[in-house]
Amino acid sequence: MKNSLMSPSNFSSNGNATFFQVENGYSDSLSLLNSERAVLELVQQPLIDGIDDHLIEFSEAMRTVAKVLRHAAEGKASAQVEATEWKRKYELERERNWQLEQRVFNGNYNSEHSDGRFKHLIDQPVQSDGTVDKSERCCDENGICSHEVLRNGEPGYDTNVLPDKMMRKASFKLSWCSKGENSNQHKHDIVSFEKGNITTAERSSKQISLKWESPPQTVLILTKPNSAAVQLLCLEMVRWLKEQKNLNVFVEPRVRADLLSELSYYSFVQTWEDEEEILLLHSKVDLVVTLGGDGTVLWAASMFKGPVPPVVSFSLGSLGFMTPFHSEQYKQYLTSILRGPINITLRHRLQCHVIRDTAKNEFETEGHVLVLNEVTIDRGISSFLTNLECYCDNSFVTCVQGDGLILSTTSGSTAYSLAAGGSMVHPQVPGILFTPICPHSLSFRPLILPEHVTLRVVVPFNSRGHAWASFDGKDRKQLAPGDALICSMAPWPVPTACEANSTTDFLHSIHNGLHWNVRKTQSFDGPRES
C-alpha cells in the first residue's frame, strides 16, 4: 500500500488531492477541520465486495486519525484563546504600573520645583522621552550628578515652618563618594563614542554616603521578641537616647508595655495604636534601630510600605548578613551615626501582587507586598511537581517543573536562594535572582536578571495541583490554576548603615557567617616546580 496518495493529509473536502503547509509542527485549524471531513467521507464510503482485510484495518486507522485531528484543532484553538486572554491581562497590568510610575514621578517633579529644589535642572537639555540628558548634567561638590541626589522630604515640606519640634523630620541627602577625600574631579559613568571607539569613562567609587542636613530628632527602636538580653539592652539604650541625646523614641506597643512594667520613668516613650499610624511612621521617624538578627531587619522593612528611613542594625541574633554593628559599642556607633556622614547600602526590594483567574479586570487584584529577601512559589503539601510558566516582560522564560521557584533580591542571595544553588551577589548590585528549587532537569541553572524587568509566574490550567507563594517566609497565599504572581523591583529601597563600607561589610558577613572558602592551607614542604 502506497501512502503518497492515501495519506489523509492529501485529501480536501471534495476528494481532490491537496497539500497544506505545516508551521511549527501544527497545521492551521481550518486545514485540520477540512482534513477531518475528508477522512470521514473516505471512511463512510461503502466497502467493495471482496475487499481485502487490510483495507478494513486502514478504515479503522482513518477514524483514529480523524479523532486526533479534531482533538488537535480543539486544543490549538483553546490554547490561542488562553494565550490571548493572558496577554490582555498582562498588557493591562503593565499599563497600570506605568501610569502609577508616571503619577509618582510627576508628583515628585512638581514638588521639587515648587520649593526651589533642583531648579537648575529646568534649563538642562531634554530627550525625546522626557528625561534629562545624563551627559549634560553637572555634578555637585561631592562628585555625584545632581539628579542622583536623593532627599527624604515630602512634597511641600519645609523644616523651618513646622511648629512642632517633637515631630520635625530630619532632612538628608545621599551622594556617591569620590576616589579620595581631596579629589575634586567630577566623574560620570558614561560611554564615549569618540572616533568610532567605544570606551567607558573612569568610574568613581560607588559607595553611597548619607549626610544629615538637619539633626535627627526621632528614633524608632525595633527588638527581637522573647529575648532577655535584647530587653535589657533596649532599656539601657532608650534611657541613653533620651538623657544624653535628647531624642524622641518610638517603640512597638508590646515593648512600651514591657518598659512601663519595669519603671514608670519610661512614660515618655511613644508608640502607635493602629495600622494607619504605622503607614505614617516614615514621615515621623528619622532613624530606625534594630536589636536582633536579620529577621528583625526583615520585620523592620516590612513595616514600611513606602519610603524607609535609614536603618542601623545591631547584631543580637545567630546570623548577621545585615547586622554589622556590635551591641557592646552602641554608644560610640550611634554617636557617630547621629553626627554623620555615614556610609550606607541601598538594599533593593521586590514588589509583588497576585492576579486571580477570576478577576474581571486589571484593578481587581490583591494588595502589593514588599519583600527584602525573596518571594517563593512552591508545591506546599502537594505530592505533585509544581508546574509554573514564567515570563520576563513579553518573553517566555521557561516552565518550572520541580519543587518550586525563588525570586530573590541581591540582599536575599545569601538566604534561601543560596541554599537552592543560587549565586551570592553583592547587595548593592541591582538585579533579580531567578533560582529553581530542586528542578527535575539537569540543565536548569539559576539566572540573574536586570532590575528593570517585570516577571510573571503563572500556574497553568493543566497543572495537577495548586502552588503556594510566601513573601520573606510569611503571608502564604494559595495560587490556583490560572492565577499569576507579578514581581518587579520596588521603587523604595531599604538604606542600611555600614560599619565600614558596603563591600567590606558584605565580605565580612560571608566570611564570618558562612565561613566562605575556609580550608587548610596547602603545605609548603611538598613537591615544587623546578
Side-chain angles (χ1 to χ4, degrees):
M1 178 179 59
K2 295 182 180 181
N3 295 331
S4 59
L5 295 177
M6 299 301 293
S7 175
S9 63
N10 298 332
F11 286 88
S12 63
S13 59
N14 57 7
N16 297 326
T18 182
F19 297 90
F20 53 87
Q21 297 178 350
V22 178
E23 295 179 0
N24 298 328
Y26 292 95
S27 303
D28 182 81
S29 299
L30 181 58
S31 300
L32 289 172
L33 294 176
N34 292 336
S35 301
E36 182 184 351
R37 296 193 195 100
V39 172
L40 290 176
E41 291 176 2
L42 180 63
V43 298
Q44 289 174 359
Q45 292 179 359
L47 296 177
I48 303 174
D49 295 338
I51 192 171
D52 295 334
D53 293 339
H54 72 273
L55 291 180
I56 298 176
E57 296 177 359
F58 176 73
S59 176
E60 294 296 331
M62 290 300 98
R63 289 190 177 91
T64 303
V65 171
K67 292 181 181 179
V68 172
L69 291 173
R70 183 174 65 255
H71 291 162
E74 293 174 352
K76 182 176 181 180
S78 175
Q80 288 176 341
V81 171
E82 182 181 347
T84 302
E85 179 63 17
W86 272 115
K87 183 177 181 181
R88 183 188 68 82
K89 289 184 179 181
Y90 186 54
E91 292 296 333
L92 289 174
E93 179 64 22
R94 288 192 66 195
E95 179 67 19
R96 186 173 74 93
N97 289 339
W98 181 84
Q99 291 176 358
L100 290 175
E101 291 176 359
Q102 290 296 114
R103 195 176 305 137
V104 172
F105 174 79
N106 293 335
N108 292 338
Y109 181 84
N110 294 333
S111 65
E112 289 166 358
H113 286 79
S114 63
D115 62 3
R117 290 181 294 181
F118 303 153
K119 185 176 180 181
H120 58 282
L121 290 179
I122 299 178
D123 299 328
Q124 298 294 333
V126 179
Q127 299 176 352
S128 59
D129 59 352
T131 60
V132 180
D133 187 359
K134 184 175 180 180
S135 61
E136 296 296 331
R137 295 187 179 116
C138 60
C139 294
D140 68 357
E141 61 182 4
N142 293 310
I144 182 177
C145 294
S146 300
H147 74 287
E148 294 179 307
V149 177
L150 307 178
R151 296 173 183 267
N152 68 331
E154 300 293 330
Y157 177 80
D158 188 349
T159 58
N160 297 324
V161 299
L162 286 179
D164 189 359
K165 182 179 179 182
M166 298 291 289
M167 292 294 104
R168 185 170 63 190
K169 186 85 164 69
S171 61
F172 60 83
K173 70 176 181 179
L174 305 180
S175 60
W176 300 115
C177 295
S178 61
K179 288 185 178 179
E181 298 179 356
N182 300 324
S183 174
N184 58 0
Q185 297 180 0
H186 306 314
K187 301 180 178 67
H188 300 265
D189 286 339
I190 61 175
V191 177
S192 173
F193 300 93
E194 295 181 0
K195 299 180 180 180
N197 298 322
I198 301 177
T199 58
T200 304
E202 183 181 1
R203 296 175 180 269
S204 61
S205 169
K206 283 305 181 182
Q207 175 59 56
I208 303 176
S209 176
L210 181 148
K211 181 179 180 180
W212 300 104
E213 293 186 330
S214 60
Q217 299 291 326
T218 305
V219 176
L220 168 64
I221 300 179
L222 299 175
T223 63
K224 180 175 70 173
N226 304 322
S227 173
V230 170
Q231 185 177 7
L232 291 175
L233 179 62
C234 181
L235 289 168
E236 182 181 342
M237 184 179 292
V238 168
R239 180 188 292 269
W240 181 78
L241 289 173
K242 182 62 177 179
E243 295 179 353
Q244 301 298 324
K245 300 300 179 181
N246 194 28
L247 295 177
N248 307 309
V249 180
F250 272 81
V251 296
E252 297 171 87
R254 64 167 180 84
V255 176
R256 186 175 189 274
D258 292 340
L259 292 175
L260 291 177
S261 65
E262 292 289 336
L263 196 63
S264 60
Y265 165 82
Y266 295 102
S267 59
F268 63 87
V269 176
Q270 303 177 60
T271 188
W272 54 87
E273 296 181 356
D274 50 38
E275 293 292 331
E276 293 184 0
E277 293 188 26
I278 295 179
L279 295 177
L280 298 176
L281 275 179
H282 74 276
S283 63
K284 302 176 182 179
V285 174
D286 301 319
L287 193 67
V288 179
V289 175
T290 66
L291 306 179
D294 291 340
T296 310
V297 180
L298 294 178
W299 167 244
S302 68
M303 292 183 59
F304 296 91
K305 309 305 181 183
V308 185
V311 179
V312 182
S313 305
F314 288 94
S315 178
L316 288 160
S318 54
L319 286 178
F321 293 105
M322 293 184 285
T323 55
F325 297 99
H326 300 288
S327 58
E328 297 82 2
Q329 305 172 11
Y330 77 88
K331 295 181 181 180
Q332 295 89 323
Y333 285 133
L334 288 179
T335 299
S336 176
I337 290 169
L338 293 171
R339 181 174 62 248
I342 57 174
N343 291 329
I344 67 168
T345 298
L346 288 181
R347 299 181 181 273
H348 301 277
R349 293 191 288 179
L350 297 180
Q351 181 173 264
C352 311
H353 66 278
V354 175
I355 300 179
R356 299 295 181 183
D357 176 57
T358 56
K360 298 179 180 179
N361 54 61
E362 75 277 13
F363 298 105
E364 196 174 313
T365 64
E366 301 182 4
H368 290 265
V369 180
L370 296 174
V371 298
L372 180 56
N373 265 2
E374 75 277 312
V375 54
T376 304
I377 308 99
D378 57 58
R379 61 189 176 95
I381 61 174
S382 173
S383 60
F384 297 108
L385 294 176
T386 55
N387 189 5
L388 305 172
E389 294 179 356
C390 304
Y391 299 85
C392 178
D393 291 338
N394 293 323
S395 301
F396 174 74
V397 180
T398 189
C399 182
V400 177
Q401 296 183 90
D403 280 356
L405 176 68
I406 301 170
L407 301 178
S408 170
T409 65
T410 50
S411 292
S413 67
T414 53
Y416 196 180
S417 176
L418 175 66
S423 176
M424 293 188 293
V425 187
H426 191 292
Q428 209 156 279
V429 175
I432 302 176
L433 279 69
F434 185 94
T435 308
I437 306 173
C438 297
H440 196 252
S441 170
L442 297 178
S443 60
F444 196 165
R445 305 306 303 157
L447 299 176
I448 300 177
L449 301 171
E451 80 279 6
H452 57 78
V453 303
T454 297
L455 296 173
R456 177 166 57 98
V457 181
V458 184
V459 181
F461 289 102
N462 62 354
S463 177
R464 292 189 177 186
H466 294 72
W468 291 84
S470 60
F471 308 89
D472 276 342
K474 308 186 300 296
D475 304 327
R476 286 179 67 82
K477 295 184 179 182
Q478 188 180 53
L479 301 178
D483 294 345
L485 175 72
I486 310 297
C487 183
S488 60
M489 192 72 76
W492 307 286
V494 178
T496 57
C498 301
E499 182 183 19
N501 57 67
S502 61
T503 300
T504 301
D505 286 3
F506 171 67
L507 295 176
H508 186 269
S509 67
I510 64 175
H511 284 146
N512 291 340
L514 296 175
H515 302 290
W516 180 61
N517 195 30
V518 174
R519 72 178 297 272
K520 295 180 67 175
T521 304
Q522 187 178 34
S523 175
F524 70 92
D525 58 354
R528 303 192 181 197
E529 291 186 15
S530 56

